[in-house]
């Protein structure tokens, strides 16, 4: 059956149920925008920035060690004001006099970030903060008092010449930017980047399409939509697995601290960077296409952290980038005036018949197609799950249940409430099951 000949409900047109949701437009007053581009510092600037990165590591690691020791011995927390006073004491230490040779703004920003990291840890949104290593990604945050951007030239504190960078957005005038923060970073492969963070007004919402879509994420197919479309999983990490293994074996054979080991580590980092950039580009293209084509997007709240504990599927799941895909959908929907609904992860979308609502007692992961014993409908597992996800999102938005909000505690899922009459897309127990 051609796409033009399909019924409207199979194409994702659920206008009768979506009309009350299409008026929802996120209209924040201020939005944070960031532009990241390549930087090419000269040798003198690299020396200053590398020295700044080293001082940031010293401040971060010493402050983190002091926090841990104070908690272990005194059972007392540490406030940001106390860490700020400790930074002043560090600069007075003759052994740490080099801290005064770099700008103080990145050092203070490191303390603020550590305080935020602990707040996220206590709120159970992140893991415990770790010590910084010189072998990982290095970055320094400069606020307005430590940089100037005039006429398209960026000057940082403690540097004489402007920092060269390549602007990659011809539709945006770099001379008219008013960034609130500039982030200079160095990747493990040796590349330098500069990021301009600025506050902008709300963007114009996209034209409404009258369409909604449910998305079922997977490994074989990256995403299956409720209209029957499938987005193939590119498996970028799997493509580079053999090259990465060869580079890592060469790295393991090199003597620690040698120049050959540094070059081998750079090759490993470059291979990972190519995989990371290709995956990010794929996710941006897929998320942008979905946001532009639909007014309502419904996805599942997947517990990726728990799923990667399966050692047989950990690499394949990590290669998909589901968390990054959800993050991109969230901010792009907010900017475009679309609505994103995240349903409960325990919703039985795969084993529920989308036409009649019959709920199977068991459905193994290896079963990709199944026939409903109630109405006789033949289902593709993933397409059926995507249809149920869309229906559950509409029902949950109508009653205010089953939605996972990122800023508030989860609401009681709709599937845990009292049984409801048989409705398409909503699971109902049949025959006393």
């Amino acid at each position: 059956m051609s796409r033009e000949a399909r019924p409207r409900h199979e194409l994702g047109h659920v206008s009768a149920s979506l009309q009350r949701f299409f008026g929802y437009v996120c209209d924040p007053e201020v939005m944070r925008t960031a532009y990241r581009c390549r930087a090419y510092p000269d040798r003198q600037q690299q020396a200053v920035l590398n020295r700044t990165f080293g001082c940031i590591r010293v401040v971060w690691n010493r402050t983190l060690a002091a926090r841990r020791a104070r908690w272990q011995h005194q059972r007392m927390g540490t406030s940001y004001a106390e860490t700020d006073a400790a930074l002043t004491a560090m600069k007075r230490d003759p052994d740490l006099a080099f801290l005064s040779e770099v700008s103080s703004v990145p050092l203070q920003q490191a303390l603020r970030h550590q305080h935020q990291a602990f707040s996220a840890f206590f709120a159970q949104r992140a893991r415990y903060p770790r010590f910084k290593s010189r072998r990982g990604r290095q970055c320094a945050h400069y606020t307005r008092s430590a940089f100037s951007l005039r006429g398209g030239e960026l000057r940082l504190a403690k540097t004489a010449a402007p920092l060269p960078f390549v602007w990659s957005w011809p539709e945006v005038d770099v001379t008219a930017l008013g960034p609130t923060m500039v982030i200079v970073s160095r990747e493990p492969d040796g590349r330098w980047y500069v990021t301009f963070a600025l506050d902008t007004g709300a963007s114009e919402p996209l034209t409404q399409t009258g369409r909604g879509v449910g998305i079922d994420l997977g490994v074989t197919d990256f995403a299956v939509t409720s209209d029957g479309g499938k987005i193939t999983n590119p498996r970028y990490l799997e493509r580079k697995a053999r090259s990465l293994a060869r580079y890592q074996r060469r790295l393991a054979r090199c003597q620690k601290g040698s120049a050959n080991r540094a070059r081998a580590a750079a090759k490993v980092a470059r291979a990972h960077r190519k995989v990371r950039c290709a995956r990010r580009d794929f996710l941006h293209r897929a998320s942008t296409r979905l946001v532009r084509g639909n007014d309502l997007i419904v996805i599942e709240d997947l517990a990726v952290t728990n799923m990667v504990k399966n050692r047989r599927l950990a690499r394949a799941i990590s290669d998909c980038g589901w968390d990054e895909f959800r993050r991109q959908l969230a901010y792009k929907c907010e900017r475009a005036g679309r609505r994103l609904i995240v349903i409960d992860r325990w919703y039985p979308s795969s084993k529920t018949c989308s036409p009649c609502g019959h709920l199977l007692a068991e459905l193994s992961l290896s079963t990709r197609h199944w026939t409903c014993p109630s109405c006789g409908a033949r289902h593709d597992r993933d397409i059926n799950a995507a249809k149920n996800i869309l229906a559950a999102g509409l029902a949950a938005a109508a009653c205010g249940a089953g939605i996972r909000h990122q800023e508030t505690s989860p609401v009681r899922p709709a599937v845990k409430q009292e049984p409801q009459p048989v409705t398409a897309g909503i699971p109902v127990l049949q025959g006393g099951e």
Side-chain angles (χ1 to χ4, degrees):
M1 183 182 295
S2 64
R3 183 177 178 86
E4 289 76 16
R6 292 180 184 174
R8 289 178 61 86
H9 72 274
E10 290 189 7
L11 291 174
H13 291 274
V14 284
S15 56
S17 301
L18 293 177
Q19 290 300 323
R20 57 179 173 270
F21 302 129
F22 290 162
Y24 172 87
V25 177
C26 185
D27 188 22
E29 297 181 357
V30 179
M31 300 186 68
R32 177 59 61 91
T33 305
Y35 297 94
R36 185 172 184 256
C37 51
R38 288 286 300 276
Y40 299 90
D42 55 29
R43 290 188 176 181
Q44 183 179 3
Q45 292 171 337
Q46 289 184 18
V48 174
L49 292 172
N50 287 329
R51 192 180 305 117
T52 304
F53 296 152
C55 293
I56 291 174
R57 290 197 305 271
V58 170
V59 172
W60 177 281
N61 293 340
R62 284 178 173 262
T63 305
L64 180 57
R67 280 178 179 267
R68 296 180 61 177
R70 185 179 186 186
W71 174 256
Q72 292 175 358
H73 295 91
Q74 304 179 15
R75 293 296 174 181
M76 293 179 59
T78 305
S79 64
Y80 169 74
E82 293 173 333
T83 59
D84 195 20
L87 175 59
T88 304
M90 289 183 198
K91 291 184 177 181
R92 294 175 181 173
D93 188 349
D95 296 334
L96 301 177
F98 56 85
L99 295 178
S100 301
E101 298 177 2
V102 302
S103 174
S104 62
V105 172
L107 307 183
Q108 294 172 345
Q109 288 298 118
L111 297 180
R112 292 189 178 95
H113 293 159
Q114 187 175 116
H115 183 71
Q116 294 174 358
F118 272 97
S119 299
F121 168 72
F122 289 124
Q124 297 183 355
R125 297 193 308 268
R127 57 183 176 183
Y128 192 83
R130 297 176 296 174
F131 292 99
K132 289 184 179 294
S133 171
R134 67 176 63 187
R135 290 184 294 272
R137 177 179 178 270
Q138 309 294 321
C139 64
H141 294 67
Y142 295 84
T143 56
R144 286 175 175 173
S145 60
F147 75 90
S148 64
L149 183 63
R150 298 177 182 175
E153 290 188 348
L154 175 63
R155 295 180 181 270
L156 302 176
K158 301 293 185 177
T159 59
L163 178 65
F165 64 90
V166 177
W167 188 251
S168 305
W169 294 269
E171 69 278 4
V172 180
D173 186 9
V174 65
T175 60
L177 288 182
T180 59
M181 180 178 294
V182 169
I183 306 171
V184 181
S185 60
R186 188 195 69 209
E187 298 294 334
D189 60 354
R191 288 194 173 190
W192 293 80
Y193 294 91
V194 57
T195 304
F196 299 91
L198 59 152
D199 296 329
T200 59
S203 58
E204 292 294 330
L206 297 179
T207 305
Q208 295 182 1
T209 63
R211 294 170 57 91
V213 65
I215 304 174
D216 179 62
L217 299 177
V219 176
T220 304
D221 293 309
F222 173 78
V224 177
T225 58
S226 55
D227 57 5
K230 294 185 178 182
I231 302 176
T232 305
N233 186 4
R235 300 177 183 269
Y236 291 110
L237 184 59
E238 183 177 334
R239 295 180 183 180
K240 292 286 186 179
R242 294 184 63 182
S243 298
L244 274 170
R246 183 171 65 254
Y247 293 149
Q248 289 169 343
R249 285 195 299 267
R250 293 176 182 176
L251 176 62
R253 288 194 294 264
C254 294
Q255 183 178 0
K256 292 186 178 181
S258 64
N260 287 337
R261 185 178 180 87
R263 285 190 288 267
K267 287 186 178 181
V268 174
R270 281 195 294 269
H272 279 291
R273 186 248 304 165
K274 292 179 181 179
V275 173
R276 183 172 61 252
C277 292
R279 184 191 299 118
R280 185 183 296 121
D281 179 73
F282 162 74
L283 295 177
H284 274 296
R285 292 177 184 272
S287 59
T288 300
R289 185 166 60 251
L290 289 170
V291 170
R292 288 177 178 176
N294 301 277
D295 293 338
L296 176 67
I297 299 176
V298 187
I299 60 175
E300 284 184 301
D301 182 19
L302 297 178
V304 180
T305 304
N306 297 333
M307 296 172 70
V308 296
K309 294 179 180 179
N310 185 339
R311 62 184 181 88
R312 291 185 176 88
L313 297 175
R315 185 166 66 177
I317 293 175
S318 300
D319 193 19
C320 292
W322 292 335
D323 276 342
E324 176 64 15
F325 181 69
R326 172 175 168 176
R327 186 192 70 85
Q328 292 181 10
L329 281 179
Y331 83 80
K332 290 180 181 180
C333 286
E334 183 179 2
R335 290 186 176 183
R338 306 306 199 194
R339 187 168 190 184
L340 176 67
I341 296 180
V342 183
I343 67 171
D344 192 89
R345 68 185 61 165
W346 303 113
Y347 183 79
S349 58
S350 297
K351 56 184 182 179
T352 301
C353 179
S354 55
C356 70
H358 179 84
L359 178 62
L360 295 179
E362 295 292 340
L363 182 65
S364 62
L365 186 61
S366 60
T367 304
R368 310 313 302 175
H369 297 81
W370 59 280
T371 302
C372 177
S374 178
C375 65
R378 181 70 175 173
H379 296 298
D380 179 281
R381 177 193 182 101
D382 298 329
I383 297 178
N384 177 70
K387 292 180 180 179
N388 286 326
I389 289 173
L390 175 60
L394 295 173
C399 65
I403 306 176
R404 287 295 182 95
H405 304 275
Q406 295 183 2
E407 300 297 334
T408 59
S409 58
V411 186
R412 187 183 180 187
V415 295
K416 300 297 184 182
Q417 298 178 358
E418 296 297 328
Q420 301 176 1
V422 177
T423 308
I426 300 178
V428 178
L429 299 178
Q430 301 283 346
E433 295 176 353

